[in-house]
Amino acid sequence: MNDCTFNGIYARNGAYLLPSLPLRQMSALAQGYPLDADTLDVSKARTDSEQPNYGLMHGVDGEDLAAAGWGVIFAANAGEDLRGALEPLLKVRKDQAGKLYREYGGAQGYLPGDTMRAWLGRAPRLKGLGPVDPRRVPFYLLMVGDPEEIPFRFQYELDVNYAVGRICFDVIDDYRAYAESVVRAESTKRADGVMRHAMFFGARNPDDTATALSADHLIAPLSQTISDQYADVWHMDTFIGEAATRQRLSSAFTSGHPPSLLFSASHGMGFACGDPLQTRQQGALLCQDWPGPLNHTGPVPREFFFGADDLPDGASAAGMIHFAFACYGAGTPQWDEYIHTNGGRTAIAPRAFVAGLPRRLLSLRDGGALAFVGHVERVWSHSFVSEEAGVETLTFSSTIEALMCGKRLGNAMDVFGMKYADSAVGLTSELRDMKEGGALRRDSWLATLWTILCDARSFVVIGDPAVRIG
């Protein structure tokens, strides 16, 4: 594999967000990638730890909130009305976590400019790096607020060792709707003998390398592995290529019986910085309806992709966790985090934001999703298909299998934190050796480490990280 292939299509002209890049160019980008001390320290502590369940201290069950703890982090300026809207969820989590329940607001919440180290070290937490001690800071942490108030970077850093999620909505009533959906889902008992339902959805657009890779080497093997192991307790639907239409995806939310687990792989839609549709539609999922780059030129019609505006009143995602492999699926940073020029970073958006689709999915009035797992920034096919490892989907399959076995989402995402920590330490070690006069082993190796780091770090949870499939 000589090039790195990116997902993502510009809505206004149908062009790729980024063309495939040669490995030597990716290697050059990696050599200029800064890793701050906090990130490196916590990544090193994570990779050195021999403890199971993330970095939890010995003897703590990561599935038991009374042992692992649960906390909520508000921005310092958050109003009491925001907390009030979340009261149904906060009450349930307080009952479950008991003395290890925490609320961090005001001066104890996120203060502008906080790093992970600064926030953990400030009273009342007084926590340094190393294994998670739920008596000081809970393992499960829900951030409340948009990424301008609580930056994505803070979420990335904290997520290496802790189980972190975020919710961010346009209006207060959406927070209340989400809280009530989670409480309702957790109090609803599945009828005896009723199988859970999983849906795997992968576009494979004609003449398109990115979706050919994700369909053939991510969706197909993942759905096959899961089907072989869980067919007796899970009903599986797999739609790849011609079957992966916008109408098919829409039916998952309008049939009245949403799947408990939805895993999708596709291009994510992109818009130019400041486009009036950017905050609402960036990250929308491009379906099989797009006939590919050779058969379609110019703006991409709305009927080719699925986004927030395609979820009508009455749609339901009750009890669902949606994992989306797509550019900008979970959100967009303000600044380009990958391609740096002599003039510095380029603005992607006027401000960082959580994508419209997860915001809408989680706040549906007739049953919002429990959570959405997606990517901030652009995703890389090179992260699961590489020259070094060939096809490697274990990070994804481990997460999906953990969810299907009833693990809490934040715990199931452990493997992404480990993958980020491993690649951060490996990349730093490689770059240090080069600085000290060592020879670069191969451009492909450096490019692989860098793309794995960027990709694993940027998969985030939108929703409460303590949710699990019922």
Side-chain angles (χ1 to χ4, degrees):
M1 189 177 200
N2 296 318
D3 293 340
C4 287
T5 302
F6 300 81
N7 286 54
I9 298 292
Y10 274 118
R12 297 300 192 186
N13 60 16
Y16 289 107
L17 295 180
L18 279 176
S20 295
L21 295 179
L23 291 176
R24 64 180 181 277
Q25 187 171 347
M26 299 296 291
S27 175
L29 290 170
Q31 293 174 53
Y33 186 81
L35 272 178
D36 60 87
D38 279 5
T39 298
L40 183 57
D41 285 349
V42 76
S43 297
K44 185 67 164 62
R46 172 66 195 271
T47 56
D48 288 347
S49 174
E50 296 179 356
Q51 304 295 334
N53 283 333
Y54 268 126
L56 272 168
M57 61 188 289
H58 180 72
V60 175
D61 180 359
E63 290 298 307
D64 181 3
L65 295 190
W70 189 93
V72 58
I73 303 173
F74 294 98
N77 62 353
E80 185 59 30
D81 57 342
L82 186 54
R83 190 214 172 275
L86 292 174
E87 176 61 27
L89 177 60
L90 300 184
K91 182 180 184 303
V92 167
R93 295 294 183 241
K94 185 174 184 178
D95 291 343
Q96 294 168 335
K99 63 183 181 180
L100 297 183
Y101 172 86
R102 299 286 187 274
E103 290 187 22
Y104 301 112
Q108 295 183 16
Y110 178 86
L111 304 181
D114 265 348
T115 63
M116 170 199 63
R117 188 193 295 266
W119 186 82
L120 287 175
R122 192 166 61 247
R125 293 168 291 274
L126 302 177
K127 178 70 177 73
L129 300 180
V132 175
D133 181 351
R135 296 166 299 184
R136 291 178 181 256
V137 179
F139 176 47
Y140 290 96
L141 294 169
L142 174 63
M143 298 177 177
V144 180
D146 73 36
E148 288 291 303
E149 297 170 320
I150 306 178
F152 281 129
R153 177 179 171 179
F154 182 69
Q155 184 172 359
Y156 299 155
E157 292 175 351
L158 206 55
D159 203 23
V160 175
N161 276 340
Y162 294 82
V164 181
R166 174 197 298 270
I167 52 175
C168 170
F169 300 110
D170 296 329
V171 297
I172 290 293
D173 283 348
D174 287 350
Y175 288 94
R176 182 175 294 105
Y178 175 69
E180 291 173 349
S181 287
V182 173
V183 172
R184 185 165 54 249
E186 292 194 359
S187 63
T188 302
K189 187 178 184 299
R190 186 169 54 93
D192 293 339
V194 177
M195 297 179 71
R196 296 179 178 89
H197 177 202
M199 177 174 168
F200 294 87
F201 180 94
R204 196 184 194 283
N205 306 105
D207 308 302
D208 179 62
T209 301
T211 54
L213 287 169
S214 60
D216 296 349
H217 300 301
L218 182 59
I219 291 289
L222 184 58
S223 62
Q224 186 62 56
T225 297
I226 298 300
S227 180
D228 290 344
Q229 296 187 36
Y230 298 97
D232 56 335
V233 290
W234 279 81
H235 170 71
M236 310 283 182
D237 283 325
T238 300
F239 304 105
I240 299 177
E242 292 302 316
T245 63
R246 181 172 178 265
Q247 178 57 41
R248 180 72 69 180
L249 185 58
S250 177
S251 69
F253 308 102
T254 57
S255 66
H257 302 285
S260 297
L261 176 66
L262 170 59
F263 189 98
S264 63
S266 66
H267 282 295
M269 302 306 299
F271 292 80
C273 179
D275 189 295
L277 295 179
Q278 188 179 36
T279 57
R280 185 70 177 171
Q281 295 186 0
Q282 184 138 303
L285 309 180
L286 185 61
C287 300
Q288 191 67 24
D289 309 74
W290 181 56
L294 300 185
N295 296 316
H296 178 86
T297 57
V300 179
R302 276 290 293 110
E303 59 265 26
F304 287 179
F305 58 89
F306 185 89
D309 295 336
D310 299 303
L311 289 162
D313 292 339
S316 174
M320 176 191 292
I321 294 176
H322 183 179
F323 195 126
F325 182 89
C327 285
Y328 303 125
T332 300
Q334 181 178 6
W335 303 99
D336 191 320
E337 298 185 352
Y338 300 151
I339 309 300
H340 293 204
T341 65
N342 292 334
R345 295 188 297 170
T346 301
I348 295 177
R351 65 195 303 273
F353 61 91
V354 172
L357 180 57
R359 283 186 282 124
R360 174 72 171 146
L361 272 176
L362 269 62
S363 61
L364 290 171
R365 298 305 193 263
D366 286 355
L370 295 175
F372 183 99
V373 180
H375 204 271
V376 176
E377 252 281 6
R378 288 151 289 192
V379 292
W380 318 62
S381 298
H382 192 70
S383 65
F384 63 86
V385 183
S386 68
E387 181 183 10
E388 303 293 333
V391 177
E392 204 284 289
T393 61
L394 187 59
T395 307
F396 296 94
S397 62
S398 294
T399 298
I400 296 304
E401 288 190 60
L403 290 173
M404 298 179 82
C405 290
K407 275 198 170 186
R408 298 186 187 276
L409 176 56
N411 214 3
M413 290 288 289
D414 176 28
V415 286
F416 281 91
M418 179 59 78
K419 193 171 185 179
Y420 174 39
D422 282 345
S423 56
V425 172
L427 177 62
T428 302
S429 177
E430 188 79 15
L431 295 175
R432 183 183 61 241
D433 288 347
M434 290 173 57
K435 180 179 271 190
E436 294 174 355
L440 176 63
R441 284 183 285 176
R442 274 190 297 172
D443 281 333
S444 62
W445 176 238
L446 201 61
T448 295
L449 284 172
W450 186 60
T451 55
I452 289 174
L453 181 150
C454 293
D455 197 68
R457 178 201 66 177
S458 300
F459 276 104
V460 301
V461 173
I462 306 300
D464 179 358
V467 298
R468 56 185 170 194
I469 294 172

